Amino acid sequence: MLGKGVVGGGGGTKAPKPSFVSYVRPEEIHTNEKEVTEKEVTLHLLPGEQLLCEASTVLKYVQEDSCQHGVYGRLVCTDFKIAFLGDDESALDNDETQFKNKVIGENDITLHCVDQIYGVFDEKKKTLFGQLKKYPEKLIIHCKDLRVFQFCLRYTKEEEVKRIVSGIIHHTQAPKLLKRLFLFSYATAAQNNTVTDPKNHTVMFDTLKDWCWELERTKGNMKYKAVSVNEGYKVCESSAKLKDAVFAHCYVLSITRWLASKRSSINRRQKEKPHLYLEGDLCQFGLPAYFVVPTPLPEENVQRFQGHGIPIWCWSCHNGSALLKMSALPKEQDDGILQIQKSFLDGIYKTIHRPPYEIVKTEDLSSNFLSLQEIQTAYSKFKQLFLIDNSTEFWDTDIKWFSLLESSSWLDIIRRCLKKAIEITECMEAQNMNVLLLEENASDLCCLISSLVQLMMDPHCRTRIGFQSLIQKEWVMGGHCFLDRCNHLRQNDKEEVPVFLLFLDCVWQLVHQHPPAFEFTETYLTVLSDSLYIPIFSTFFFNSPHQKDTNMGREGQDTQSKPLNLLTVWDWSVQFEPKAQTLLKNPLYVEKPKLDKGQRKGMRFKHQRQLSLPLTQSKSSPKRGFFREETDHLIKNLLGKRISKLINSSDELQDNFREFYDSWHSKSTDYHGLLLPHIEGPEIKVWAQRYLRWIPEAQILGGGQVATLSKLLEMMEEVQSLQEKIDERHHSQQAPQAEAPCLLRNSARLSSLFPFALLQRHSSKPVLPTSGWKALGDEDDLAKREDEFVDLGDV
Amino acid sequence: MWWGGRGQSFNIAPQKEEPEMGSVQENRMPEPRSRQPSSCLASRCLPGEQILAWAPGVRKGLEPELSGTLICTNFRVTFQPCGWQWNQTLVHGYTVLYLLTSVSGLSRVQLLRPGSLHKFIPEEILIHGRDFRLLRVGFEAGGLEPQAFQVTMAIVQARAQSNQAQQYSGITLSKAGQGSGSRKPPIPLMETAEDWETERKKQAARGWRVSTVNERFDVATSLPRYFWVPNRILDSEVRRAFGHFHQGRGPRLSWHHPGGSDLLRCGGFYTASDPNKEDIRAVELMLQAGHSDVVLVDTMDELPSLADVQLAHLRLRALCLPDSSVAEDKWLSALEGTRWLDYVRACLRKASDISVLVTSRVRSVILQERGDRDLNGLLSSLVQLLSAPEARTLFGFQSLVQREWVAAGHPFLTRLGGTGASEEAPVFLLFLDCVWQLLQQFPADFEFSEFFLLALHDSVRVPDTLTFLRNTPWERGKQSGQLNSYTQVYTPGYSQPPAGNSFNLQLSVWDWDLRYSNAQILQFQNPGYDPEHCPDSWLPRPQPSFMVPGPPSSVWLFSRGALTPLNQLCPWRQSPCQQSPSLLAVSSRWLPRPAISSESLADQEWGLPSHWGACPLPPGLLLPGYLGPQIRLWRRCYLRGRPEVQMGLSAPTISGLQDELSHLQELLRKWTPRISPEDHSKKRDPHTILNPTEIAGILKGRAEGDLG
């Protein structure tokens, strides 16, 4: 199954079996048709959503046990989603529908969620793209959230088939302009009825105040300052212009003078026509409007290379060491420019090296860590393990599950990310060093690693609000190119790299290993990963904050109307009812107990002592030489002469890492302190909830994590009600009111796929085309057996 | 016996250990150390146990480090922390048996073999258990004391010479001090007719009775003294029929489903016999047991052979060693290469298929395995766990193991390597792994916890009861002497023990308080146990043709997830040219083909209503997942020896929550002494995790403290 779809599909080595051809007989079609006409399901449209094309009497295959059957209905395509309107929703259990997404229904696929479209022509599967000459009898849609839809078009009118197939292909695969995103039409149409949730305390980091608050929270405000030099994106804009200028003129010696004049001219032009220029994607390195730099850093420096080569603060540890990131300077050939860059970096480096700053260790993430290419390849292999067209295929691969999994090396990539994050944590926590993350644009692996480090070191990031603020700070404001990485605009497939998904998977490993440390659940992470593809939230649909802000205004009428009010994904009430939201919250999470005064004092004392340590030690520090080396290294790296051999591969650091890691794991875990994941072979696991949730064979009725969870919720509820009762007795008040039933209460047995699987198996058991662990006979044998033997799973 | 070929290198930095050792010694100096601990330890020994050598040391690798004594006896190697009670030592102090992989010598790690070394200074000794445990003891004074050398050599020698059979055969369990008078065993040992009768009534198996035909073990020594046979079969017929089965293990009832179907188990047909007509009739009657159609399951089909199991277990053990050389990114394929999880999966799949047959389709199933002592037990126990909610309670599970494994004659001693390597195969451990998978998949359906399974896993080699140290019920009975209390025994060379001891000798592995403290036994309970409430009125539809002699009975063979009709049950009736002497000799591909097309067969012959497929599953039936991603590695068991082992066996927060809940209930109860009918706490379902007395015990101090 691996490699399927790479060369236009074909279903692996064997010729695909006609596994779905003959299950529906003509008689059934007629009976079903009647039902459809009786119970017409209406299409629910969001504000601003437009119906583009539709086709009726489409048969959707429903996989149930090992057999498939079909449901009739209408297939429609709007400018937001592809939806199938059938009547099988009536079969659903009440409990399961409680976790319903209010925006995306069970049979809805947002256009951005479509991954691949295949057509089946004469039982041959082919990838569909561009203009079609011949229309398929069956449409298979692979979604990015790993659902697989199969629609049979055999009973649909030819006209409609043409319209719907080409419509779907066009709207999901043709390149799009940013302004044509559904986001904007939705925001325009829903302008009046969007209500921002007052209880949503997620820090958005779009004001100076937010950054100051974060500085204060982490006690980083002694050495770092928030700057507003990029307010109105002056730096960014100059970057765009400057780039052309540098290439065009190359007036190396007069570069500063030129810059100054250019800046003033830009300012002037901006005053005149604020909306004239800059489509967002011109701004490659998207600095946010406000950010934090080391205090002594002169603000001009920020503008010098448009934010490149500037150490930008991410987070400060309680012992004073900080995590910084820096985007590399553009690679240049010209010696003169190189010279300038070198002296510039020297200057920067001197500032951040001098006390009170700790020793800086540089981690170059773009040269000897993961490459984006690796991530892309691994994920595309990995996801094929779960995109399953029919059961037979699934059982074929199941035997080799572990080796297939390993050969995708997705889990290994997760391990490497976690390991890197632990290494950095060790530097900051144990060695009291500053760590400077270096990457080309500081917007991919930088985001990943710095978020992971903060998640491990800062318990605040493990609350829901804290986690959301973290994503806001490191990813959204950090300028992660969501548009390109998710390929929302379908402009360049090569840029599509699931970096954010990789991050979520790493977080899942942490959540899975230390569930009580997190306020959110794995369901939360799964739902968050799905939200990447819902284009009504602005969070994941821009490449940079700059791009977002420049596109917020309405075209033409800039004077009167207020800017568009875009929804943020953190407003979960848009997607889920409050009841369903209980599943996003970990019932086992206990908030950090408030420290009493004595402890706090001790903490502060310790904190100060640690602060003063590097001041006194730095001159005589034995690591001085090490540091020198690092400086040179840093500069060499920044100038584009990559050195493959890195300091951190030395044995000494490996030992440090090992010792740190082992000693942490040999102690009992403080869920409100430092948290490290296990990264040994057996400990990195598959995020089963996300990847297996649509596979009916993977369902365990009445089992799985949900069983424990429902018990827990029940107990929590009881504890709460008891506490209330006791309080009431205390105040001798009247009898308490009956509790509102919780989501999982009184429900029948749920399945392990809850809350996602809406497919329920009714009959007893799929009797499998068994291929056991023993080497089975040849294929002839298999075929014979299928013919001869009585199938127990008769339905 | 396995030597752990990978054990040569360990991640030890002995230099760093030394200062710690010094400090330990300082701390321990004031304590009066008796040079001769034998006197004080002797009373804690098992009967027949002799202390060969001992040395003071510090247990490492786990927090906190404990100082104590490393003792090597002729039965075991044990580490006894200072000031601990003996019974705690047994648990916590690693009753490791003959398990030596390496000893660190002069700041380098060496694998010790007998005779390989004569002069060395042991700083630290690492002992890898066959049960995946790791004991790491650092000796005092850097191993310079002669005792350290002595104990090391003693362990090496014991490891080399040990033959469990010899060791255990020496045990005469005369634990005079343990039992106080006549005590009832915590779990029915299925050694008396009353036990069998009680159990039969519990299962409401009306068509069955307890047969006493094997009371003197003259039908088969590997069979229990009593078992269940169909009502209408006379004991003489039983005797006659059983003679035609391998080792005399004829068909017996394992479990009766309330819907009317039965689960039977039997050995392979004894091919050399030449049964006459009546014999064949008796055999058929016993197999059919009044059902019009029965399904024969070849247990060996699709399941691993004993050798496979053994090999997989060895590989798994090698993989799980702390210093296993497998790279992290190759771990998964290495795990796959052991095939252990594949075997677990195969067992689960087969058990799940059979339990659907028995419960949902209400067909009687006969499990047939040549020896009837290994996989039959595994499958029949798994099927019961899947289908019968009673078997998932703590009591139910223990009696299940006692009945289907211990009493049914699973050769524990041989399979666990006690009598030599040839027939070693940890089938029982495979079973425990399967149960653990179920526990993982259905966390709310089992009353026992992972900790209990671990305890059982570790008890398998502890030589303090006979449960797992004998091959047959006959040997067990002979040893414990309880045969005398019922009947005369014609065992030559058997000497009668004092009559007063016969009760105390009934100690079994289920007497957990022998080895575990009360707090630990409390952890056997699964705090998340919340079984589905089955309506009592529910019964699956009885087989329509049950007990009706109408159509000629049909026999089916279940193989590879599909049914094929068989012409006959027994291999002997037809002319000798039908060269299939035993079913087991026939590959399933040879089997006769169905005469009619398969679909109609399914509907007509089975009498299944057409809507049957849409019916909900019978409540209480668990259908395990056995996909690749769903079968997991039992990390807490197999990876215990690795440094990253997780501390704490059950999630602390769940039990913490439980505590808080009961604490609050207690408070409420105290404050509202009279208003009990409305009292919320009384409305708790009966499956409260801890029983009230225990809760009271735990909370007493706390609640009072809060109130005061």
Side-chain angles (χ1 to χ4, degrees), chain B residues 463-542:
Chain B
D464 60 347
T465 61
L466 285 178
T467 311
F468 295 135
L469 299 179
R470 288 293 177 271
N471 275 334
T472 60
W474 175 69
E475 288 174 29
R476 210 172 280 119
K478 187 175 74 172
Q479 194 71 49
S480 68
Q482 43 93 267
L483 295 184
N484 292 320
S485 45
Y486 301 100
T487 177
Q488 290 188 334
V489 182
Y490 305 105
T491 316
Y494 179 68
S495 62
Q496 286 200 348
N501 266 355
S502 59
F503 284 109
N504 300 334
L505 291 172
Q506 288 195 10
L507 283 178
S508 65
V509 71
W510 314 120
D511 292 291
W512 292 108
D513 51 355
L514 280 182
R515 273 154 290 141
Y516 290 83
S517 67
N518 278 338
Q520 284 169 321
I521 291 175
L522 265 184
Q523 285 203 45
F524 289 176
Q525 308 263 353
N526 170 16
Y529 182 52
D530 184 20
E532 195 175 8
H533 300 288
C534 315
D536 290 338
S537 58
W538 179 86
L539 273 184
R541 66 177 52 227

Side-chain angles (χ1 to χ4, degrees), chain B residues 23 38 164 288 294 334 487 538 604 622 634 665:
Chain B
S23 66
S38 305
Q164 265 177 325
Q288 298 240 306
V294 293
T487 177
W538 179 86
Q604 295 166 11
L622 306 181
W634 189 1
Q665 283 173 346

Side-chain angles (χ1 to χ4, degrees), chain A residues 158-321:
Chain A
E158 208 182 317
E159 270 306 294
E160 288 184 329
V161 172
K162 278 185 187 172
R163 226 178 301 137
I164 193 86
V165 173
S166 52
I168 286 177
I169 290 175
H170 176 77
H171 292 293
T172 56
Q173 298 188 343
K176 248 185 212 169
L177 287 176
L178 176 66
K179 274 289 186 185
R180 309 293 298 181
L181 279 179
F182 179 69
L183 183 68
F184 294 105
S185 29
Y186 178 79
T188 316
Q191 187 74 336
N192 299 325
N193 49 13
T194 46
V195 187
T196 40
D197 185 7
K199 279 186 290 181
N200 187 2
H201 294 304
T202 306
V203 185
M204 305 301 277
F205 291 98
D206 52 358
T207 62
L208 196 61
K209 219 177 78 194
D210 288 350
W211 287 98
C212 293
W213 179 83
E214 178 79 354
L215 271 176
E216 200 156 322
R217 187 182 72 80
T218 59
K219 303 202 173 56
N221 45 4
M222 300 173 67
K223 299 179 221 168
Y224 299 93
K225 62 176 180 190
V227 291
S228 55
V229 61
N230 195 29
E231 200 160 25
Y233 301 100
K234 285 173 282 189
V235 177
C236 261
E237 288 178 9
S238 69
S239 92
K241 295 292 155 195
L242 173 120
K243 197 175 258 169
D244 301 338
V246 167
F247 287 121
H249 311 284
C250 205
Y251 291 143
V252 178
L253 294 176
S254 60
I255 200 164
T256 17
R257 214 181 318 144
W258 181 85
L259 239 180
S261 69
K262 199 72 192 168
R263 201 184 311 127
S264 64
S265 85
I266 285 172
N267 285 344
R268 206 167 50 241
R269 273 164 65 190
Q270 199 178 21
K271 265 170 214 149
E272 293 158 12
K273 276 177 165 185
H275 292 285
L276 185 90
Y277 44 97
L278 288 179
E279 273 287 320
D281 39 359
L282 281 180
C283 184
Q284 286 296 316
F285 175 53
L287 273 183
Y290 310 96
F291 51 91
V292 177
V293 293
T295 316
L297 193 85
E299 291 196 4
E300 311 81 88
N301 273 354
V302 177
Q303 292 154 336
R304 180 90 176 270
F305 289 96
Q306 316 88 48
H308 291 273
I310 297 296
I312 293 171
W313 175 88
C314 296
W315 182 73
S316 281
C317 177
H318 64 87
N319 62 11
S321 58

Side-chain angles (χ1 to χ4, degrees), chain A residues 109-177:
Chain A
I109 316 161
T110 61
L111 298 182
H112 299 285
C113 191
V114 174
D115 192 10
Q116 287 287 344
I117 301 179
Y118 300 96
V120 176
F121 303 88
D122 301 327
E123 292 167 21
K124 279 190 190 129
K125 199 172 126 187
K126 284 178 189 160
T127 327
L128 297 184
F129 54 88
Q131 286 287 319
L132 296 182
K133 291 197 183 101
K134 205 177 146 199
Y135 288 89
E137 53 205 48
K138 204 175 127 185
L139 202 60
I140 301 176
I141 301 180
H142 286 187
C143 302
K144 287 184 179 172
D145 59 4
L146 301 174
R147 287 180 294 175
V148 175
F149 285 90
Q150 302 189 7
F151 298 110
C152 174
L153 304 170
R154 196 179 296 161
Y155 313 102
T156 318
K157 282 184 213 126
E158 208 182 317
E159 270 306 294
E160 288 184 329
V161 172
K162 278 185 187 172
R163 226 178 301 137
I164 193 86
V165 173
S166 52
I168 286 177
I169 290 175
H170 176 77
H171 292 293
T172 56
Q173 298 188 343
K176 248 185 212 169
L177 287 176

Side-chain angles (χ1 to χ4, degrees), chain B residues 325-393:
Chain B
S325 58
V326 176
E328 273 159 8
D329 56 339
K330 293 286 170 218
W331 162 266
L332 289 177
S333 50
L335 182 61
E336 186 177 86
T338 66
R339 315 216 71 176
W340 178 259
L341 293 185
D342 256 352
Y343 299 155
V344 168
R345 176 211 297 233
C347 294
L348 284 179
R349 172 189 290 191
K350 190 147 187 169
S352 147
D353 284 349
I354 294 174
S355 55
V356 169
L357 274 179
V358 176
T359 59
S360 163
R361 313 279 159 148
V362 208
R363 301 292 130 168
S364 280
V365 171
I366 305 163
L367 302 174
Q368 191 175 35
E369 184 197 10
R370 186 173 161 76
D372 181 36
R373 294 171 71 180
D374 295 298
L375 295 173
N376 261 4
L378 183 138
L379 273 187
S380 101
S381 330
L382 278 182
V383 168
Q384 293 180 52
L385 277 175
L386 291 175
S387 334
E390 312 85 58
R392 293 174 221 140
T393 61

